[in-house]
Amino acid sequence: MCWRPRGAGGADGRVKILYLQIMLPTWKLASRASLERDRVLREMQQLAPWYQTFSLADWLHIEGPSSCEQALPFLDQHGFPADFTGKTVLDVGCNAGFFSFVAKSRGAERVVGVDADSRYLDQSRFIGRLLGLEVELVQDDVHNVARLGTFDVVICNGLLYHIHDPAAFLITLANVCRQTLLIECEFLVDPALTDCARFIEGEYRGDPTNWWIFGPRCLEGMVRAVGFARAGFEGFYYTPQGQQTREGLRREGRGFLIGRKAG
């Protein structure tokens, strides 16, 4: 099945039409999980509701509103590492750990997932047991990640628009990131607004914790300003056409940005 995001554009506003082959992660369940299907399904239901989606087996599909599985093929084609061998990885706002487990399954030496919500971490532990993958989980405010040390790669997916002071938070991420910062985020679609950021007062898409929507070039500049030698917006993988949120605001798009330290 081919998936075509409509109206995808780069930071300069030029339109890119992207045809992607949907290739979901090939998860390998631990043998014991397959032998205990009833118990696994009961525990999955007990841990609901889920935000992230995991297609783990023909009999085990965890459904959530997140588009991680659809986003990953785009991220893979635009710089999300296919090989994490030997890397240390920090996943901030990890939720149930989708990207943590992708990194670990692709060879990361160490993966640390941080989230303030204990329910998400319980879900992540469940997924880790099913896959036989070890991810270190820390329940904490993501603003406190400096205490965890430094990492080769920092993943910040679906988080930055929830942060009150994104510039200060990016400084924190720059201080713990040795090489590469990966950001999946909500972005302003209008090319005329690429250098802007919109502050949201009130709710956006029914969520009062949504605070910012960034123009692509705006966020590129913010990432460079905190110490990354290069920052590139890789494009949109989701661009709604003429949609409005229930608050009457324009529904914006989702895209991917990579920051790289020198060297």
Side-chain angles (χ1 to χ4, degrees), residues 167-229:
F169 185 63
L170 284 170
I171 292 173
T172 298
L173 297 187
N175 288 337
V176 300
C177 180
R178 291 194 291 264
Q179 296 176 2
T180 306
L181 174 64
L182 307 170
I183 300 176
E184 186 276 339
C185 197
E186 192 98 354
F187 285 95
L188 297 171
V189 174
D190 189 344
L193 301 177
T194 189
D195 292 306
C196 304
R198 176 189 296 165
F199 177 75
I200 301 165
E201 184 178 8
E203 293 188 357
Y204 173 74
R205 298 178 62 213
D207 189 342
T209 71
N210 287 321
W211 295 104
W212 293 94
I213 308 177
F214 304 94
R217 275 209 305 241
C218 173
L219 191 55
E220 284 180 344
M222 292 172 69
V223 170
R224 287 192 297 268
V226 299
F228 288 85

Side-chain angles (χ1 to χ4, degrees), residues 68-121:
C68 290
E69 289 192 328
Q70 287 189 322
L72 186 60
F74 177 88
L75 271 57
D76 280 345
Q77 292 191 19
H78 292 82
F80 193 88
D83 184 1
F84 282 86
T85 300
K87 301 293 186 183
T88 57
V89 179
L90 176 66
D91 186 0
V92 290
C94 65
N95 202 276
F98 181 92
F99 290 102
S100 296
F101 291 116
V102 169
K104 192 66 178 178
S105 69
R106 293 180 179 183
E109 177 182 326
R110 179 189 182 210
V111 180
V112 178
V114 179
D115 205 290
D117 193 324
S118 62
R119 180 171 58 89
Y120 291 145
L121 298 183

